[in-house]
Amino acid sequence: MQNVSWKLIMKIITSFILISLIIAFFPVSATIFIEDGTELDEQGLIQYLKEPAPDFEKPGAIYFYDPNCGACMPVHDFWDTYLKENPDVILEQVNLEEGADQMDRFKEFSQSYNREKTFIPLVYLGPVALEGTDDIKNYFDIVYTWYMASFTGE
């Protein structure tokens, strides 16, 4: 009976560790949303991007992350490659682990986009936000290109 209990305990511990690793390394949230809080699927995003981006004064994108975030790690790899291939891209990277000011800013953005909860990794590009590894990797370029096309520099 002791052997059965020991084996069962080991299986439970192993399962718990495996599930923890999966959660840590794969994004659990992926959402595209706009300033009014509306979530968009891929077709909704493509439709949204048919309209011109709003005018703005300061160009660029803002990326919120935590260096210990498992879902953020593949996005860092994406940035390494993407920014080398596109050196003119303006990307502000905000490390939430650096202090309360960064976290306050993260919360302010969430509120201004009418979201009760947001998750990292998260990029804001004007009126569009990309939340989650896959959405950032898959849609950043087209949203950034669309957004920057309306920048007049005045």
Side-chain angles (χ1 to χ4, degrees), residues 6-7 9 40 42 45 56 58 63 65 79 87 98 111 115-118 135 137 140 144 147 149-150:
W6 177 248
K7 286 180 183 180
I9 290 171
L40 303 175
E42 182 177 11
L45 176 64
F56 57 92
K58 185 177 178 186
Y63 168 57
Y65 73 98
W79 292 138
E98 287 183 352
Q111 290 171 351
R115 303 293 290 186
E116 281 186 39
K117 295 180 181 179
T118 52
D135 284 344
K137 291 167 63 175
F140 178 81
Y144 186 85
Y147 181 59
S150 70

Side-chain angles (χ1 to χ4, degrees), residues 113-125:
Y113 280 68
N114 296 299
R115 303 293 290 186
E116 281 186 39
K117 295 180 181 179
T118 52
F119 303 94
I120 55 173
L122 179 59
V123 176
Y124 291 98
L125 302 108

Side-chain angles (χ1 to χ4, degrees), residues 6-7 13 58 62 65 100 103 108 134 137 139 143 146:
W6 177 248
K7 286 180 183 180
I13 291 172
K58 185 177 178 186
I62 302 169
Y65 73 98
M103 186 55 80
E108 287 171 16
D134 290 339
K137 291 167 63 175
Y139 303 114
V143 176
W146 165 81

Side-chain angles (χ1 to χ4, degrees), residues 4 9 14 18-19 26 38-39 43 53 67 71 78 83 109 127 142-143 146:
V4 173
I9 290 171
T14 303
L18 210 73
I19 291 169
F26 294 101
T38 303
E39 292 185 10
Q43 292 304 317
F78 168 75
L83 294 173
F109 267 92
I142 62 170
V143 176
W146 165 81

Side-chain angles (χ1 to χ4, degrees), residues 10-24:
M10 288 307 293
K11 283 183 180 182
I12 292 171
I13 291 172
T14 303
S15 297
F16 177 75
I17 291 171
L18 210 73
I19 291 169
S20 297
L21 288 173
I22 289 170
I23 290 171

Side-chain angles (χ1 to χ4, degrees), residues 68-79:
N68 298 312
C69 160
C72 298
M73 291 176 194
V75 178
H76 290 295
D77 295 338
F78 168 75
W79 292 138

Side-chain angles (χ1 to χ4, degrees), residues 79-147:
W79 292 138
D80 288 344
T81 303
Y82 186 84
L83 294 173
K84 283 178 187 167
E85 294 171 358
N86 302 279
D88 294 335
V89 167
I90 302 166
L91 178 70
E92 178 185 355
Q93 298 188 43
V94 180
N95 178 350
L96 297 178
E97 201 172 71
E98 287 183 352
D101 290 345
Q102 287 75 6
M103 186 55 80
D104 289 344
R105 191 166 175 214
F106 178 75
K107 290 175 184 175
E108 287 171 16
F109 267 92
S110 296
Q111 290 171 351
S112 70
Y113 280 68
N114 296 299
R115 303 293 290 186
E116 281 186 39
K117 295 180 181 179
T118 52
F119 303 94
I120 55 173
L122 179 59
V123 176
Y124 291 98
L125 302 108
V128 178
L130 305 173
E131 180 182 75
T133 302
D134 290 339
D135 284 344
I136 292 170
K137 291 167 63 175
N138 293 333
Y139 303 114
F140 178 81
D141 189 59
I142 62 170
V143 176
Y144 186 85
T145 301
W146 165 81
Y147 181 59

